[in-house]
Amino acid sequence: ALPISSILFRCREENGVDDGLELLLDPKRQQARLLRQSKTSAALGTARAEIPTASAFRVRLEFEGAAIRLRLGADKAIALHVTEPSVANLAGSIGFRGWGGPMILKDLTVETHDGDTRERIQLVPALDPVQSGLESFCLLMLNLNETVYVD
């Protein structure tokens, strides 16, 4: 099974139910779907998208009032543009979920614009290549007992 991942945004939980928006990235169908989550799930838009499973790729979400734009990968073109007045004033948190395989978040930056004022907050810093290599080596060493049996 190919891993599926999603980004929840403008989301809050009410009585165990996610209430907000979800961007679902499905590599098997090679599509991105924008969903409105509440007691029921409603599709706001779907776009054909190249979603790799063995390499990193960029996801950029842009919000302007009721408009939501999605850009994927290095492509500057808009992959999905949805205007949904009911979500214009939603406030909430950002969350991630994945199933069917690992999902690694390498960098998360939130940028806000208010007239001429621009604020950029890096929530998850980009991975340091040396730290990432050391982490991979340690995981390999800890898991050797699963690949080599010593009697």
Side-chain angles (χ1 to χ4, degrees), residues 39-151:
K39 290 179 182 160
T40 60
S41 179
L44 298 178
T46 302
R48 183 133 177 79
E50 215 174 295
I51 301 171
T53 57
S55 62
F57 68 101
R58 177 178 293 225
V59 175
R60 180 180 176 122
L61 289 162
E62 301 170 353
F63 308 97
E64 190 175 331
I68 302 167
R69 289 181 292 279
L70 168 68
R71 299 174 198 268
L72 291 171
D75 193 4
K76 301 291 185 196
I78 296 172
L80 181 63
H81 183 237
V82 174
T83 302
E84 179 61 36
S86 70
V87 301
N89 296 318
L90 279 180
S93 301
I94 299 172
F96 303 90
R97 57 179 157 196
W99 52 98
M103 181 175 104
I104 299 169
L105 182 63
K106 290 191 174 186
D107 183 14
L108 175 61
T109 305
V110 175
E111 213 173 89
T112 60
H113 304 274
D114 185 17
D116 292 335
T117 307
R118 185 178 206 167
E119 185 177 356
R120 185 179 172 103
I121 305 166
Q122 193 162 13
L123 301 175
V124 175
L127 289 177
D128 174 29
V130 173
Q131 183 69 28
S132 180
L134 182 60
E135 182 181 307
S136 295
F137 177 73
C138 289
L139 287 171
L140 173 70
M141 294 305 291
L142 291 171
N143 287 316
L144 276 179
N145 66 338
E146 294 178 14
T147 59
V148 177
Y149 179 74
V150 178
D151 189 21

